[in-house]
Amino acid sequence: MQRLVLDTNIVLDVFVFGDAAARPLHQGLLEGRLQWLATAAMRQELERVLAYPQLARRMSAGGIAAAEVLGAFDRHAQPAPSAPRAGPACRDPDDQKFIDLAVARRAALLSKDRAVLALGKRLAGLGVHVAPALA
């Protein structure tokens, strides 16, 4: 089973936007072929982002409630403890928790964040594949 860490934008792509590029990820989670690892801090960030007015309006227009997205998080994400600080530091401190967990668990990290993707080579040296979608 492939272990993954999903940044918040990828979670939104899967459970809010229904992004076509995220469909294989969603299907893999539904079928249990993928193991999504997440910490309490990652869930808290998602909850905070879901309350952003522009996103809340879009979700409301699409008939999606924040509680549904958080419920999907709870159903599909395997809770993991916060990981110790990894060697590579991200320019965006909000993204560090995703990097730390991916390094600690040797999990693939799915992110579209430029600051995270810029660390791809350094993270590959630590056994972490970084990509914007499933390969």
Side-chain angles (χ1 to χ4, degrees), residues 68-90:
E68 291 175 56
V69 179
L70 292 170
F73 183 105
D74 294 339
R75 278 189 307 282
H76 296 292
Q78 178 181 333
S82 294
R85 176 76 182 233
C90 188

Side-chain angles (χ1 to χ4, degrees), residues 8 45 48 52 90-98 113:
T8 302
E45 178 176 310
R48 181 176 44 81
Y52 289 173
C90 188
R91 289 188 318 252
D92 183 348
D94 287 338
D95 291 323
Q96 191 65 45
K97 62 186 159 286
F98 301 102
D113 188 294

Side-chain angles (χ1 to χ4, degrees), residues 3-7 35-43 73 77-88 95-110 123 126-128:
R3 288 181 291 192
L4 304 170
V5 174
L6 310 179
D7 82 3
Q35 182 183 37
W36 171 18
L37 304 171
T39 65
M42 293 172 189
R43 189 183 190 284
F73 183 105
Q78 178 181 333
S82 294
R85 176 76 182 233
D95 291 323
Q96 191 65 45
K97 62 186 159 286
F98 301 102
I99 293 166
D100 296 342
L101 184 60
V103 170
R105 295 297 188 92
R106 300 294 187 262
L109 174 55
L110 300 186
L123 290 170
L126 297 172
V128 174

Side-chain angles (χ1 to χ4, degrees), residues 1 23-35 76:
M1 180 179 302
R23 285 189 190 126
L25 172 59
H26 191 213
Q27 194 63 36
L29 291 171
L30 291 173
E31 294 172 359
R33 291 182 288 107
L34 302 173
Q35 182 183 37
H76 296 292

